[in-house]
Amino acid sequence: KGFRTPLDAKPRLLLTLAGLTMQGALADAAVRQTVRHAVEAGASRQEIVETIGQMAVFAGIPAMTRALEIARSVLPDTEDDET
């Protein structure tokens, strides 16, 4: 049988976003695209911000800040949050 992941699109995209943040958020287009797709898959603004924020422990503050700046440039302004 082929590989089948039990993860739905939203957690897979949040994990992808975490990985991109870990790489220093150097691939702007990939971060933007992943954020857009995560929103389409049902991720809230807060879930995206928390996913990126959690990576500060592993990737460092500069990588987290860069990823947040990129994410905020494409996140819809429809939700009130603490960011």
Side-chain angles (χ1 to χ4, degrees), residues 10-11 14 17 34-52 71 75-76 78-81 83:
K10 183 173 93 171
L14 292 174
L17 184 57
T34 302
V35 169
R36 284 188 192 110
H37 289 164
V39 169
E40 290 170 6
S44 70
R45 182 182 183 96
Q46 190 63 34
E47 288 173 318
I48 290 167
V49 168
E50 286 184 24
T51 296
I52 294 169
L75 280 170
T78 57
E79 295 182 48
D80 292 322
D81 62 46
T83 63

Side-chain angles (χ1 to χ4, degrees), residues 21 24-25 49 52-56 59-69:
T21 302
V49 168
I52 294 169
Q54 183 65 32
M55 294 303 100
I61 300 296
M64 179 204 71
T65 301
R66 180 169 172 78
L68 280 174
E69 288 172 357

